[in-house]
Amino acid sequence: MTDGERPYGFATRAVHAGQVTDPSTGAHATAIHQTSTFVLGDVARGARLFAGDEAGYVYSRIGNPTVRAFEEKLAALEGADEAVAFASGMGAIAALCFSTLRSGDEILFLGPLYGGTRGLFHDLLGRFGVRARRVDDHELASAVSPSTRMIYVETPTNPTLQIHDLRLVSEVARTHGVLSVVDGTFATPYLTRPLEHGIDVVIHSATKYLGGHGDALGGVVLGRKELMDEIRLEGLRHAGAALSPTVASLLLRGVRTLHLRMRAHCDNARAVADASLGHPALRAVHYPGHAQHPGHAVASRQMNDFGGMVTLEFTGGRAMAAAFLESLTLFDHAVSLGDVSSLACHPASTTHQLVDEPLRLADGVTEGLVRLSVGVEDAHDLVRDVLQALAVAARKVERAPADH
Ligand SMILES: Cc1ncc(COP(=O)(O)O)c(C=O)c1O
């Protein structure tokens, strides 16, 4: 999107890209085309539409104007040729894998991964002969084997907020001719645009910051046109996790304020992380904006700010984490993230409950870990809430010894 000479800035694209004024009524807001099918006209036109020889819509699983508006907005923000929208983040990741992998192929991933993605890679794709192997960043270059087809990474990671170097991933993938994929859910295109770092494909759970209001599930895959066309034809058309037009409209509205919300999320997370640092109830505050975070230098290079997530690691185990969580008043105890309203969760008992304990601990998901999705409320209210709950947790450990 340009003004004819210069590309528009991020905020202008967030507000305007993809928006459609209805030509028949002049309605300014992009219409919700709540229809399953589209009238084809004469048989010759129907045949042309189905063959892809004429542009147009035929059936909402394959394409819908409201969903298209969301795809165009996301492509403009991410700097992608093309985007394909899905009913959820997992729908997007699954469709990407179905479209690009074959039996015998290997996915190399830099851990840790969101539990759902780990389940898809190991439990589901494993049954179809696709192998997923975790490697550390420093061994990535030497780990690529003849069967490697994809290098997959999240950054920042869920829930420990590790940072992976996108330049390293894209260089290794390019050298070996394999597909590089980044789950950018935690960063959003406002903070990091992986395609600018040479990454091939970006996926998002739009359920989180893109939608931003905790009322809609969605996902999106972005990259070069040829590959996105394949994903639309195979992963979307045949696997069928299509985004509903009504939900697309909610997501479209959410993305229009992404830049405003992300600034507030980042500022508030910084305030919460700074206020928590050094508290006697905590072993660590995981926040990539702190100089002592192991990924701080890479995050400073590849992110515009450090995001809205802060993960606290208590000196005690579950009892202490529970005392903290149950004492919070503004942060609701719930999974998910990226909502305007603050959320807190205990990954060991929820999102990572099904991961085997040794694996969970190796990923740093201890019983004393609490993940905060810091909302856009007033920073001073959030800080006060966290500090009073930390004080309760600190008293808890005096009465009961650590359980982990
Ligand atoms: C990093 C990440 N990727 C993907 C997903 C899956 O997204 P969805 O819940 O929209 O299917 C999640 C969900 O929490 C996530 O945190």
Side-chain angles (χ1 to χ4, degrees):
M1 254 193 116
T2 70
D3 65 2
E5 284 177 18
R6 272 177 310 175
Y8 285 124
F10 190 93
T12 308
R13 284 176 282 145
V15 172
H16 289 282
Q19 300 295 133
V20 183
T21 301
D22 181 15
S24 59
T25 62
H28 183 242
T30 301
I32 304 175
H33 292 275
Q34 190 64 51
T35 182
S36 54
T37 197
F38 295 80
V39 176
L40 301 174
D42 59 51
V43 170
R45 181 167 183 267
R48 285 197 305 276
L49 285 167
F50 256 82
D53 295 338
E54 183 177 325
Y57 295 100
V58 295
Y59 187 58
S60 279
R61 172 156 47 74
I62 305 162
N64 172 284
T66 316
V67 173
R68 185 64 194 150
F70 171 68
E71 290 173 343
E72 285 183 358
K73 192 183 284 295
L74 258 290
L77 291 184
E78 200 68 74
D81 290 350
E82 183 62 303
V84 189
F86 292 89
S88 68
M90 286 316 303
I93 302 168
L96 166 73
C97 291
F98 291 152
S99 304
T100 55
L101 300 171
R102 309 278 176 273
S103 175
D105 286 350
E106 177 186 69
I107 307 169
L108 282 186
F109 66 92
L110 298 176
L113 291 182
Y114 167 62
T117 310
R118 186 189 274 274
L120 170 72
F121 284 2
H122 286 294
D123 304 340
L124 222 156
L125 294 179
R127 283 188 230 147
F128 297 90
V130 173
R131 196 166 98 96
R133 186 157 58 96
R134 181 187 171 150
V135 291
D136 286 335
D137 298 45
H138 67 273
E139 57 189 16
L140 179 62
S142 58
V144 179
S145 74
S147 58
T148 305
R149 286 287 165 273
M150 181 187 285
I151 301 176
Y152 190 99
V153 60
E154 286 171 21
T155 186
T157 62
N158 182 4
T160 47
L161 308 182
Q162 280 163 249
I163 303 293
H164 294 295
D165 187 341
L166 297 179
R167 214 161 54 188
L168 168 81
V169 173
S170 74
E171 272 170 19
V172 173
R174 267 153 208 255
T175 304
H176 295 275
V178 304
L179 198 67
S180 52
V181 180
V182 169
D183 179 336
T185 299
F186 275 43
T188 81
Y190 182 69
L191 298 179
T192 311
R193 286 176 294 283
L195 303 179
E196 291 175 2
H197 297 267
I199 297 293
D200 296 312
V201 177
V202 183
I203 77 101
H204 292 283
S205 166
T207 314
K208 313 299 191 300
Y209 289 107
L210 298 182
H213 295 74
D215 53 8
L217 289 173
V220 63
V221 181
L222 301 111
R224 59 178 181 274
K225 177 152 175 40
E226 210 176 286
L227 181 59
M228 295 305 111
D229 286 350
E230 269 173 46
I231 291 170
R232 189 184 297 284
L233 279 175
E234 294 187 339
L236 178 62
R237 194 169 181 153
H238 299 329
L243 180 62
S244 111
T246 301
V247 176
S249 167
L250 289 171
L251 297 174
L252 197 61
R253 183 170 66 171
V255 181
R256 297 188 97 181
T257 56
L258 179 67
H259 50 295
L260 303 175
R261 288 183 288 104
M262 287 313 290
R263 279 178 212 145
H265 284 297
C266 291
D267 289 346
N268 288 356
R270 190 173 5 261
V272 166
D274 289 351
S276 310
L277 198 63
H279 193 281
L282 296 173
R283 180 170 295 139
V285 174
H286 301 285
Y287 171 65
H290 283 158
Q292 60 271 39
H293 185 285
H296 179 68
V298 176
S300 304
R301 197 175 68 225
Q302 68 189 27
M303 298 177 77
N304 296 324
D305 202 335
F306 300 102
M309 305 296 294
V310 178
T311 298
L312 305 177
E313 196 171 342
F314 285 86
T315 53
R318 185 176 293 204
M320 213 171 165
F324 172 77
L325 265 168
E326 290 161 12
S327 305
L328 288 166
T329 54
L330 286 173
F331 288 76
D332 289 319
H333 177 205
V335 295
S336 203
L337 60 121
D339 197 312
V340 287
S341 141
S342 292
L343 302 173
C345 86
H346 180 242
S349 62
T350 56
T351 51
H352 289 64
Q353 190 192 97
L354 297 179
V355 182
D356 289 342
E357 197 184 9
L359 222 67
R360 194 154 43 77
L361 293 176
D363 281 353
V365 184
T366 59
E367 289 290 335
L369 206 73
V370 174
R371 191 191 73 184
L372 300 177
S373 169
V374 183
V376 303
E377 300 93 334
D378 288 303
H380 59 84
D381 290 331
L382 297 178
V383 166
R384 277 230 311 274
D385 193 23
V386 167
L387 290 180
Q388 66 76 24
L390 282 172
V392 175
R395 286 199 294 277
K396 177 86 184 170
V397 83
E398 282 161 21
R399 287 200 298 274
D403 64 358
H404 194 83

